[in-house]
Amino acid sequence: MTIFPKVMESIDDLSPKQIESVLSLSVKLKNHPFPAKSSPFQNTSIVTIFFENSTRTKYSFIQAAWKIGINAIDFPIESSSLAKGESLLENFETLYHQGFSAAVIRTSDSDFFKEFKKYCPLPLLNGGNGMVEHPTQALLDLLTLEQTVGGLDQLKGKKICFVGDTLHSRVFHSHIKLLKHFGLDVSTCGPKEWTENLVPNQNDLDQVIKDNDFLYMLRVQKERHAGKTELSQLGNYVDQFGLSKSRLEKNNKNAKVLHPGPVNIGTELTQDIIDSEYYLGHHQVQYSTWLRASLIAHQLNTHEDRYLLENLKTKEDSYEWPE
Ligand code: CP
């Protein structure tokens, strides 16, 4: 198996085998969390550095770290020396010398990793950048899909449609790279103004509901619309592309609904979908902790010169680490 990337910028940084390994460890950790006092990661600290708002990604990384015995803190952008004009790289170097073992970053800059990854001293996970990638979200979605159908093999041939604002969605752009490895039939449904036609696109949501196993409703990315087509210019967006429980039940009672969150309630989805058995959004959030714990563990196991592997092999319930 190829080495786990020191900087995980993109889904393309992982091989399908590594993705399977990440998913597999997520489930093991969920079933058998490391007891805090005997964690192989004792005395390890990671840091989250978020230049954009976040509830799900930031706090699930922090929670994920805690679950496997790692200390996690959030780097306060406004009160850090960034505000005194020190560069981000200098801040990373300081955090590295202070003994932090890894970082998670979110930035609005689609090109952020191009240069930064050449010099970054710390193992780094992408918590979402620009409109380009949100790889950990796509991976936790895949874990949710896999657990819903009972295994990766069961996903082969299943149909998933991404509905809405695919153009500005980093989640969708990561999924385009991810789901092709696992045999899913991927399409989109949305206004032409927000569509790149990377996969077949349709306009008729009722037909899409009938035809698909999974409807992935995307957040309308209002913060990325300045100077482009805004929601108000699309007229009857909600009538065309919004999903309610009655609309779903009229067309396909077997369909499941995903959303990365946060939901614009009443735009992409109605509350009665969120409260229904069709909605997988709460599972996505629950699995996110374990998926991110697995990613941190994979990365530290590879890039920290530590006793971890040996230590784990002595445990009765040993984990299968990638070579
Ligand atoms: N799905 C997602 O990235 O949500 P947050 O912006 O709350 O992290």
Side-chain angles (χ1 to χ4, degrees):
M1 192 181 283
T2 47
I3 193 162
F4 199 84
K6 184 175 173 192
V7 176
M8 199 194 90
E9 169 191 357
S10 164
I11 286 293
D12 283 345
D13 291 329
L14 300 179
S15 67
K17 265 197 161 332
Q18 285 171 327
I19 292 167
E20 285 178 33
S21 175
V22 168
L23 265 51
S24 162
L25 183 63
S26 309
V27 176
K28 287 179 186 171
L29 290 173
K30 180 172 183 288
N31 295 335
H32 304 286
F34 289 138
K37 289 209 167 86
S38 60
S39 164
F41 295 108
Q42 270 176 29
N43 301 319
T44 302
S45 312
I46 68 162
V47 58
T48 56
I49 303 178
F50 275 50
F51 290 93
E52 286 185 350
N53 294 351
S54 169
T55 298
R56 286 152 198 77
T57 310
K58 183 195 287 185
Y59 294 103
S60 70
F61 264 114
I62 289 172
Q63 178 75 315
W66 289 347
K67 292 279 189 198
I68 55 173
I70 291 174
N71 301 309
I73 63 143
D74 186 45
F75 181 81
I77 309 273
E78 296 300 329
S79 60
S80 73
S81 286
L82 285 172
K84 298 181 204 167
E86 193 175 37
S87 73
L88 185 60
L89 186 57
E90 286 165 325
N91 276 265
F92 264 80
E93 279 163 359
T94 302
L95 293 166
Y96 170 73
H97 288 296
Q98 285 168 342
F100 284 92
S101 292
V104 184
I105 195 158
R106 172 173 286 189
T107 166
S108 56
D109 182 355
S110 294
D111 295 324
F112 171 77
F113 287 91
K114 272 194 185 117
E115 281 302 304
F116 197 79
K117 71 179 175 189
K118 292 185 199 159
Y119 307 108
C120 182
L122 283 170
L124 187 59
L125 292 163
N126 183 359
N129 74 308
M131 301 193 294
V132 181
E133 283 258 11
H134 196 348
T136 70
Q137 176 73 46
L139 289 167
L140 75 88
D141 295 336
L142 180 63
L143 177 61
T144 306
L145 292 169
E146 184 223 20
Q147 292 294 304
T148 302
V149 299
L152 280 174
D153 279 348
Q154 275 66 43
L155 280 178
K156 284 191 186 126
K158 292 272 191 254
K159 297 177 86 172
I160 184 167
C161 184
F162 289 82
V163 180
D165 186 5
T166 52
L167 176 65
H168 304 101
S169 171
R170 51 194 174 204
V171 175
F172 173 66
H173 291 127
S174 284
H175 269 298
I176 282 287
K177 295 172 179 172
L178 178 65
L179 296 180
K180 66 183 180 194
H181 294 304
F182 300 97
L184 284 106
D185 180 333
V186 180
S187 62
T188 59
C189 174
K192 64 178 183 337
E193 292 86 344
W194 291 349
T195 301
E196 296 159 284
N197 293 311
L198 298 173
V199 290
N201 185 62
Q202 299 180 59
N203 285 320
D204 181 352
L205 182 61
D206 292 295
Q207 190 59 45
V208 162
I209 298 170
K210 288 188 180 94
D211 289 346
N212 280 272
D213 303 291
F214 299 105
L215 303 164
Y216 198 121
M217 309 304 292
L218 289 166
R219 189 168 73 84
V220 173
Q221 310 278 318
K222 292 174 190 159
E223 70 275 25
R224 298 189 193 129
H225 292 166
K228 303 181 198 163
T229 306
E230 304 202 6
L231 181 63
S232 57
Q233 295 169 268
L234 290 175
N236 59 349
Y237 181 86
V238 174
D239 291 344
Q240 266 195 286
F241 302 111
L243 188 64
S244 64
K245 191 175 172 191
S246 59
R247 191 172 196 175
L248 184 79
E249 289 187 331
K250 193 179 78 184
N251 289 297
N252 182 1
K253 285 189 178 168
N254 293 318
K256 296 285 183 197
V257 179
L258 296 96
H259 193 296
V263 178
N264 294 305
I265 296 172
T267 302
E268 302 104 41
L269 293 178
T270 49
Q271 184 66 45
D272 61 4
I273 281 280
I274 295 173
D275 296 337
S276 76
E277 68 274 25
Y278 306 111
Y279 189 57
L280 297 179
H282 307 304
H283 296 283
Q284 288 170 273
V285 172
Q286 285 157 11
Y287 284 123
S288 72
T289 303
W290 302 108
L291 186 284
R292 288 174 171 135
S294 173
L295 280 171
I296 296 167
H298 273 76
Q299 204 176 38
L300 292 186
N301 191 50
T302 307
H303 295 286
E304 287 266 288
D305 184 14
R306 56 176 51 243
Y307 51 87
L308 178 62
L309 245 176
E310 224 163 283
N311 193 33
L312 280 171
K313 275 184 181 158
T314 62
K315 287 165 83 98
E316 201 183 328
D317 183 24
S318 74
Y319 293 89
E320 287 161 24
W321 294 96
E323 287 161 17

